[in-house]
Amino acid sequence: MATAIRTTLRAGLPDRYLTPEDIADLFSVPLETVYAWRKKRTGPPGFRIGKHLRYAPEAVHAWIGTRIEADAA
């Protein structure tokens, strides 16, 4: 699944919102890390749809860009 997500993100934006599990797979981090990022507000911005947490692919791409810029500085 992670490979499919990476391929989709490289080729363009996926046609669906990403789940916390998708984010964990994408960055090869434990799911707990994704939730810790959210709690600390240091990870990609997510939003709730009812009780479900989702991430917009565009927001994840923007977050990656800010991380790359911060590391380059």
Side-chain angles (χ1 to χ4, degrees), residues 20-21 24 29-40 55:
E21 291 81 6
V29 297
L31 185 58
E32 294 79 18
T33 299
V34 176
Y35 288 117
W37 287 344
R38 177 148 170 91
K39 184 175 181 179
K40 295 176 185 177
Y55 296 86

Side-chain angles (χ1 to χ4, degrees), residues 49-73:
I49 298 178
K51 66 178 184 174
H52 303 285
L53 178 59
R54 295 293 182 261
Y55 296 86
E58 301 89 352
V60 174
H61 277 288
W63 179 76
I64 292 168
T66 62
R67 298 298 309 152
I68 291 171
E69 291 172 8
D71 287 344

